[in-house]
Each structure stands twice: as structure tokens, then as C-alpha cells.
Amino acid sequence: MATEISGALTLGEDVLVIPVADLSDESRAQIECDPGDFAVSRLRSRGGSKIIDSEAADLLSRFREPKTVVEAVILFDGRNTSIQTKSLRMPIRFYATWLEAGFLVPAGQTADSVSPALPNAPHWSVGAELLGATVLRTLQLLDDTEVYLLSRPSGNRSVLKIERLSSEGQPIGSVRTRLGHEAKFLTHLGGEFTPALLSTGEVDGRSYLELDYISGVDAATAAAEWRDREGAEAQRRLLEIARAIAKTYAVLHERGVIHGDVHFRNVLVGSHGNIQLIDLGMASAAFSGSSLPSAPERGGVPFFFEPELASAYLTGDTAPPASEAGEQHAVAALIYFLMTGAHWQDFRLGRDAMLEDIATRAPLSFRDRGTSPWPELEAVLGRALAKQPTGRFPSLRTFADALEGVPLPPSAVRSPARTAALRPILERALDLAGLDGSWNQTSLSPAPTTSLNYGSTGIALGLLHVAQRRRDAEFLALADLWTKRALREIKNTEAFYNSDIEITPEVVGESSPYHSPSGVFAVAALVARAMADPLGMAEALAGFLDATRRPTIRLDLTLGRSSTLLGAAILLDAILGNNLVDPAPMRSFGDAALAEIWQAIDAKAPIATADVEYLGIAHGWAGFLYATLQWCRISGTPVPTTVERRLEELAAFALPSGRGLEWPWVLHRPGEPMTMAGWCNGSCGYVFLWTLAHRLLGHPRYLDVAHGAAWRSWESSEPTVTLCCGLAGRAYALLNMYRNTGDRVWLDRASDLARRSEREGYIPAEYPHSLYKGEFGLAVLAADLEEPDQAAMPFFEPVGYQI
């Protein structure tokens, strides 16, 4: 039977991918490897480790979060699968091999649960009606269990965990018993720090649990943000996570329950730092005589085994039952990992070697882990990690109390703002765009050579941003030179179109500021405004209005009528501060465009059934609404009466993901919804919409939705860099969140995304000079990060944007 890899895949939770340079001398001597290679091992497997090169390690690491193979290739390589099928075949073969070996598993499964005798397709598809609710997503597909995200007519979200049946219609294994086991513990705990149990029963002969949906990310993801930063605030936040986890487990034990399966994926951290414990399938009663049952078996992830369990597995003895003392060791091992980013020992490769390490070796110091010493914390963790249960704290409560007494280390000083990471990219771009630079000395290629999205107009606008942030007349003059170049190029055959990349009049129209002469005139007007040249500004504005009379297509923000409305809003924002330029023609144009757009929108059915299936900023409903609100905010034109209804319709499509929210690229797409974090079709574009809606309409709910979009923009691992699709656009969204909330953590996160783009992001090589599709957009972001309170995403937020 062929290996099925069409669904979402993820790395198995017991898989190690380690640079061979980080292995101990003892382990390295056992393998044949080159210096840049990686060792891959499954801790539950008795098979040997595999050695792979750095490229293969990169391919595997893409699945630390669940993704399909196609998504991994598109999002990580920026390739269009319709024209890059040859380059996709190698990853498909690669991933199939690793799936067969158990290193990659279908999302939600463990390698040990995968059975080739069963289909990997879920029983219920997205959109199916189930228990009076609608299936939004398949969250997990185990050998004996399926887990779905449901939406009820009220808008509430829940999680359905339901047993699978064999092809003969019979239950598989003991899943029905285990679901009943988990239900008893969830009922006992009442949803205080675990998912609330909403209902149990059977559907189509399958036993199920319906649980309240818990928003959050695993503890490792939450801790990594603060561990990657320096200073007192970062260490305080890390310590808060550690304390909250220990307190939660202490309460769990006091409620008479031992979790039995401690690892970072079973500990969720919410957007406010709240801790929730999930997956109580191995839970046990903590007290003798309890009405709660004992776990049917021991299990868990080997990194967090207690020494007494590891010793039993080594000797072949019966595994000891889960205990409070054993769980204290597991929680301490988890906290050590969260604080240092590494496990408490350099475990040797191979199952038995690792079990021996757990049973006999002492924890490494923080200094050994390359982390600043923290003596008080290390002492507390050292006691909880004692080899003998009697050497540990009397209870998890006393362990948690000891963590409460741990002070911040004396070396924890606030770290300076980190805004200089992209400066080399900015300076290189400024050199290339300068009078003697190669961009200035030759024709840009490939086409389009002039458009705002791809060519000289985008360079002019980026230089205007640099000039404004640095208050530098030299860069303003350079922006003016590039503007004049773009104006000269308007009639060139390659100025705005290139059929090789499907940028043609039939695809993008002839009036969008992003892809036509109207964008050249718009940027010329902004540059003239900055140069205090009212005559030049008036001429450019007239050119913009004339150019927007060319044919347009659809309604969307990057290609259609909404693009010209947004352009008018950006230009009116610049006009209103200049008494020498008449705003009336722009007002008249914008109001007419608004009326035209909303006449078309009001004729459409609700979003769920309308003929426009795209939802995002670039091509869909979010873009229509954003352009509308931006025009109304700047012009003072009343907001159309049906805007709020459309906002509510759009909000209803938000899917929970981690601590945040995301939206499908397109509606009515067969299979699982495809989502992304980037500006064009993803979560970060929605940040701008919902903060603007909150600002203009005042509803607190809109700011809540904006926070959800911002969280997803922050948490995604997608490495594409560009303004349009990647990290640069996401950083601008978090800057927008910072300006709208005043919460500096969003500014820090924007800076983190910028640094990440420089360190590990993927930048397409074809258009380095492109504002939206190349490295130049990242350079402009670097300039905006120097003055974040004035930052504005180029030709999306008004240049004079102020909060």
C-alpha cells in the first residue's frame, strides 16, 4: 500500500534532530558523520540513529508545526507548484521515506499509533454536520481516535474526540474504555485548569467526548519567546511560566489526580499566561481509596521519565505506578527544558543508553547548557530532579512554593532595544539604490521594471520612508530621482507587466496603484508633499486620477476597485495637511469609488455564499472592508450602514490556532482549510483591519479579534520574508498592534520577527529590488523600526499615519 502523505504531517514527539557538533564525544565516536551533519533518533525505537545533512534537517524541521507537504514547499520555498512540479517531487519522496520510518507522523498521531492497514482520511470532512455542529477542522487522526474542531450555531467552538471503527465496524482496541477513563477525570476536575467536558455519548456507533476548546500554545513555544531574549523582563516571564506550571500541577495533585503524561505538548499556555493541562488518558488517582481509577498503563515521553521508571524499563521489571514524587521529577524536567532550551542531560542516542542516563546521571548546570547561571533556581530544580523519591520535595506544592522564593539573578538587567539587526540589509539597499549603485546604473530586471509592487516606483517609496524616519534630505532627494525615473518609464513595454509571472492586464487590470501608472503618480504626489512642492503634488494627483480611469477588474485591494479607493485615502491623508492643494477632486473620486464598491457589495449574498470566495486583505473581503474604513476615517465620509454586518460575517470565519486566530485563504475549498500568516491572504493582514475597525467603530470585540490575528502573526513558523507574504509584513502588523495598544511587547515581537527574517528567512532571488516581493521591503522595515511610532506599511497605511 502506498504511503499516504496528502494530509498534515508533524515530527514525532519523541524525535531528536541534533547537530552532531552538539553531541558528546562518546556519542560522536559511535557514528560516521561530517561536521555539519545532524543526528536523527526516535527515543521509543530500538533502531539506530540516522545521520542526515543540513538540507535534509531543514526539510524535516519544517514539520515542527503540522503542515502538508505542499504547504511546506510553497511557504518555505516560495515556489508555485503549478510551475515547479519537478522541484516538488524530491520533497515528496523524502517525506514519504521519513513517514514510513516513523519520524514523521500524520498530525496528531504518534509513530507507534500509525497503522498502514487503516486509511488516513478522517471519517467526517470539513463542513460536515455532526452533533448539531459543523466540522471546521480535523485536529488529530489517531489509529483509534479522531479529533475534530466543531462550531456550533451560537459561534462557540468545541473539540470532539471520537473513536474510530475498523473496516468491519468494530471498536479498535481499548479506546472506548480510555475515553471513559478520561471522562471520569475531566468530570472530577470540572474544567478548572483542564478542558471542560461538555458531553459524552455515541454517534454512528462511535463513543465520543466533546470538550471545550482551549486556546493556547504548548509550553515550549511560549517559553522560547522569552528564552530567546535577554534581560530581567525575559527572565521574569520565564519564571512566571515555570511557577504557573508548578502551581497547576500542585492543584491537580491536591484534587487527587496524577496526570501521568507530563511533557510540553500537554501543557498549554494561554494568551494571558494561564495554564491548561490536556490529555488525561493516562491519569491516575493520587490517593488510595479514591473513587477515581488507576491508569491502565504507564506511558509518556522518555525525556520526562522519572529515574525509577527508567530503571524498571532497563531491567524489564514491572513499571511502577504513577506517583506524586515521580510526577514532580517530570515537572522539574519540563521546567528545566523551558528555562534552558535543552534537557537536563545530554542523553545518549538509543533507547537503553538514554534510560541509563535518566537512572544514573545528574542534571547539567545552566552554565553547561550555555545559559547564565541561576543558582537559586538550579538548586530548586536539582532537588526536584533527585534520583531517589525521598530526596525530592515532600509534594508538588512545596516544590511550587520553593519556585515562588526564587529571585531573579543579579545579572538580569533590561536589555536594550534590538533594532539594529537589519541595518546591514538597509545600508546595502541604500548603496544599491544610490546615485552610483547598480540599481541606478542599469535597467531593473526582470519585468515589471516600474510598478510599485516590483520596480522603480517601489524603490522611490521605500526611500521616502527612509528619508522620513531619518529626517534626511539626501534620501528624500534620492526618492525624488527614482520617482522621476519611474515617470519616464511609464510607457515602456515592460514597465508594469510580465506574462511569465502572470502579471498581465487581463490578470491585474490597468488601474491598480500596485501594478499600473496610477501608483507612479501616487508616489510622485507623496514625494512632492514631503519636498514641499505643491505644484508638483497637484500635477501628480491629477495624473493619479486620470490613470484610475483605466479598466479595473473585480473589487479587491491589490488589483481592483478597492486598490484605487485605498490609494485615494493615502493621498487625501497627505493633501489635508497642505492648504495649497485642493482636496475636492480626490474627495469626489473617493466617495464615488466607495459608492460603486458598496453598491456591488450590497448586491451580494452573505459572505458564506457570495461569489467572492477570497477572505484576506489582498484579494478578498478583508481588503474591501479595510479600504472602506481607511477612506471613511481620513475623509470623514459616513461608514456604509452594512459594514458592521460584513465585519461580523468575516469574523465568524476565524479559526482558532494556538493563542491566535487565522482565516482560510478561500472558502469552499475541498479538504482542510489552507491558512497562512502573511499579509496577502493571512492573519497579519487582518490585524490592520480589526485595529482600524476598533478605532473607527469602537467595539471592544474588534480589538479582541485583532489580538487573535496578531498572536497568529507572531507564532507562525513560516520563514518567507517579503512584505507581501512573509515576516516583513507580519512585523508591520505587530507594529500596528503596538501603536494601537501601547503594549511594548508587540514592538519587541516585531523586532524579533525582523531579526528572524535576517537570520533564517527565505528571500526570493528574482526581485531583490522589489518593495513587496524582495529584500528591499525588509530594508524599508529596518528604517521604520528606527522610529516605530511613525512606522507605516508602505502604500497600505497612510505615510502620515498617527495614533
Side-chain angles (χ1 to χ4, degrees):
M1 177 178 175
T3 302
E4 173 60 55
I5 63 169
S6 61
L9 304 177
T10 187
L11 273 179
E13 63 187 21
D14 64 340
V15 172
L16 289 170
V17 182
I18 307 171
V20 296
D22 291 351
L23 296 176
S24 65
D25 292 341
E26 180 181 359
S27 294
R28 202 157 47 240
Q30 302 174 31
I31 57 179
E32 186 175 326
C33 61
D34 293 325
D37 286 345
F38 287 72
V40 186
S41 178
R42 273 190 62 212
L43 296 176
R44 290 196 180 107
S45 171
R46 290 186 179 272
S49 299
K50 299 181 183 298
I51 304 302
I52 59 177
D53 61 20
S54 59
E55 181 179 359
D58 172 66
L59 290 171
L60 271 183
S61 68
R62 300 175 185 193
F63 290 84
R64 294 194 184 281
E65 291 184 3
K67 287 181 182 67
T68 67
V69 171
V70 172
E71 287 172 332
V73 172
I74 292 174
L75 296 177
F76 284 74
D77 294 336
R79 295 174 180 146
N80 183 326
T81 56
S82 67
I83 61 174
Q84 294 287 346
T85 54
K86 180 181 290 187
S87 65
L88 184 57
R89 291 189 193 112
M90 187 281 286
I92 287 177
R93 292 194 298 270
F94 173 87
Y95 293 131
T97 299
W98 289 92
L99 183 61
E100 291 167 355
F103 291 90
L104 285 175
V105 296
Q109 295 191 16
T110 64
D112 296 329
S113 75
V114 178
S115 171
L118 284 173
N120 284 323
H123 185 74
W124 286 278
S125 60
V126 172
E129 296 298 316
L130 182 60
L131 296 174
T134 302
V135 175
L136 292 181
R137 267 184 169 162
T138 304
L139 297 179
Q140 291 184 340
L141 187 60
L142 305 178
D143 204 25
D144 54 10
T145 312
E146 298 178 10
V147 185
Y148 297 94
L149 176 66
L150 304 183
S151 175
R152 298 208 162 271
S154 64
N156 292 337
R157 305 294 166 82
S158 62
V159 173
L160 183 74
K161 183 184 290 189
I162 188 165
E163 70 176 331
R164 301 185 80 184
L165 301 181
S166 69
S167 57
E168 291 78 27
Q170 299 300 313
I172 300 170
S174 59
V175 62
R176 185 166 297 196
T177 300
R178 288 191 283 107
L179 289 175
H181 179 90
E182 183 170 10
K184 292 177 182 178
F185 285 90
L186 292 172
T187 300
H188 172 74
L189 294 170
E192 181 181 352
F193 45 82
T194 60
L197 180 64
L198 302 180
S199 67
T200 64
E202 288 190 12
V203 59
D204 293 349
R206 301 163 184 254
S207 181
Y208 74 84
L209 307 179
E210 186 181 7
L211 313 173
D212 190 28
Y213 176 79
I214 300 295
S215 175
V217 292
D218 66 74
T221 299
E225 172 180 0
W226 305 109
R227 197 174 57 247
D228 290 344
R229 298 186 193 171
E230 300 173 350
E233 177 65 10
Q235 290 181 300
R236 182 183 70 79
R237 296 274 193 146
L238 270 175
L239 189 56
E240 283 181 353
I241 293 173
R243 288 168 171 169
I245 290 171
K247 286 180 183 177
T248 302
Y249 273 101
V251 174
L252 181 73
H253 286 192
E254 290 162 359
R255 294 287 301 274
V257 176
I258 297 171
H259 186 279
D261 191 12
V262 175
H263 62 85
F264 57 79
R265 290 181 182 168
N266 280 344
V267 179
L268 296 185
V269 181
S271 58
H272 299 292
N274 51 302
I275 302 297
Q276 296 280 319
L277 306 180
I278 61 172
D279 197 354
L280 276 75
M282 296 181 184
S284 292
F287 309 135
S288 59
S290 171
S291 61
L292 294 169
S294 297
E297 59 182 352
R298 290 300 305 271
V301 175
F303 292 121
F304 307 103
F305 283 176
E306 68 269 32
E308 48 270 36
L309 177 60
S311 296
Y313 282 148
L314 272 174
T315 59
D317 293 338
T318 301
S323 67
E324 291 185 76
E327 191 142 285
Q328 180 185 149
H329 187 283
V331 172
L334 172 61
I335 291 173
Y336 183 105
F337 175 77
L338 300 180
M339 303 302 291
T340 66
H343 295 288
W344 57 266
Q345 182 54 252
D346 278 328
F347 297 116
R348 287 174 290 166
L349 301 176
R351 176 183 179 274
D352 288 352
M354 181 182 180
L355 292 172
E356 184 178 336
D357 291 343
I358 294 171
T360 62
R361 289 187 173 181
L364 296 172
S365 69
F366 280 21
R367 187 186 298 277
D368 290 334
R369 281 283 173 234
T371 300
S372 298
W374 199 334
E376 296 88 350
L377 176 59
E378 292 178 66
V380 171
L381 292 178
R383 181 175 176 183
L385 290 168
K387 295 302 169 189
Q388 297 301 320
T390 54
R392 301 169 199 154
F393 289 96
S395 67
L396 245 162
R397 173 59 63 186
T398 52
F399 173 39
D401 289 343
L403 286 175
E404 285 294 318
V406 171
L408 291 178
S411 60
V413 297
R414 181 169 180 83
S415 59
R418 298 171 296 170
T419 60
L422 299 185
R423 195 161 292 157
I425 290 177
L426 174 58
E427 298 304 328
R428 181 167 67 249
L430 295 177
D431 287 342
L432 290 168
L435 290 176
D436 299 323
S438 60
W439 294 351
N440 217 336
Q441 298 300 313
T442 61
S443 297
L444 298 177
S445 65
T449 61
T450 307
S451 68
L452 175 58
N453 204 342
Y454 285 98
S456 54
T457 304
I459 294 175
L461 181 60
L463 291 169
L464 175 61
H465 275 246
V466 176
Q468 290 177 317
R469 302 301 166 255
R470 294 188 170 185
R471 299 168 181 83
D472 191 314
E474 180 180 345
F475 289 118
L476 180 57
L478 191 58
D480 185 49
L481 286 175
W482 275 95
T483 301
K484 288 180 168 58
R485 170 174 169 167
L487 288 166
R488 291 194 305 269
E489 294 173 346
I490 278 180
K491 295 184 179 180
N492 291 355
T493 56
E494 295 186 337
F496 301 103
Y497 303 114
N498 182 345
S499 60
D500 290 342
I501 58 172
E502 299 183 349
I503 303 295
T504 65
E506 295 74 23
V507 174
V508 303
E510 299 179 47
S511 62
S512 164
Y514 298 98
H515 296 283
S516 83
S518 71
V520 181
F521 290 114
V523 172
L526 295 174
V527 171
R529 172 69 175 85
M531 297 185 72
D533 177 10
L535 180 60
M537 186 179 185
E539 291 176 350
L541 292 170
F544 171 82
L545 293 174
D546 183 63
T548 55
R549 296 190 180 99
R550 299 289 299 166
T552 188
I553 60 171
R554 300 192 296 272
L555 295 174
D556 69 64
L557 183 134
T558 55
L559 309 178
R561 203 58 173 153
S562 293
S563 70
T564 59
L565 179 61
L566 179 59
I570 291 170
L571 293 172
L572 183 62
D573 178 70
I575 295 169
L576 291 178
N578 188 334
N579 295 329
L580 298 177
V581 178
D582 183 7
M586 194 62 64
R587 284 187 179 278
S588 177
F589 169 81
D591 284 340
L594 180 72
E596 178 186 338
I597 290 168
W598 281 87
Q599 182 180 13
I601 290 176
D602 286 338
K604 294 184 183 299
I607 293 175
T609 56
D611 58 357
V612 177
E613 296 186 324
Y614 282 91
L615 297 182
I617 279 288
H619 303 296
W621 289 91
F624 311 159
L625 291 163
Y626 176 81
T628 294
L629 293 177
Q630 201 66 271
W631 173 257
C632 293
R633 180 186 74 84
I634 292 169
S635 69
T637 302
V639 175
T641 57
T642 52
V643 160
E644 292 191 52
R645 173 167 65 85
R646 296 299 189 175
L647 285 167
E648 292 301 323
E649 290 174 5
L650 183 61
F653 288 101
L655 299 170
S657 179
R659 288 173 283 191
L661 298 171
E662 58 188 3
W663 283 256
W665 283 24
V666 64
L667 299 178
H668 316 309
R669 175 181 179 267
E672 297 295 320
M674 188 171 181
T675 62
M676 67 180 294
W679 173 84
C680 53
N681 293 295
S683 294
C684 88
Y686 290 90
V687 174
F688 300 95
L689 169 64
W690 294 108
T691 57
L692 181 57
H694 174 258
R695 181 180 181 187
L696 201 57
L697 303 173
H699 299 315
R701 165 172 156 73
Y702 294 157
L703 190 59
D704 290 341
V705 180
H707 270 103
W711 272 113
R712 187 56 187 154
S713 302
W714 161 244
E715 290 174 353
S716 172
S717 63
E718 296 164 17
T720 303
V721 163
T722 60
L723 276 183
C724 175
C725 308
L727 288 157
R730 289 159 57 189
Y732 271 113
L734 301 191
L735 285 172
N736 177 283
M737 200 70 201
Y738 158 67
R739 293 195 309 272
N740 277 279
T741 63
D743 188 347
R744 190 174 178 85
V745 71
W746 293 111
L747 171 58
D748 291 339
R749 287 171 177 150
S751 298
D752 287 345
L753 289 185
R755 279 194 315 281
R756 184 177 145 203
S757 66
E758 185 273 336
R759 184 174 66 246
E760 59 190 50
Y762 167 78
I763 303 175
E766 294 83 357
Y767 293 93
H769 53 271
S770 168
L771 179 61
Y772 268 80
K773 301 289 187 179
E775 186 178 79
F776 186 62
L778 191 58
V780 176
L781 170 64
D784 271 332
L785 282 169
E786 293 176 0
E787 294 287 344
D789 291 323
Q790 284 77 48
M793 184 166 172
F795 215 82
F796 183 64
E797 298 177 281
V799 173
Y801 190 95
Q802 297 290 330
I803 294 299

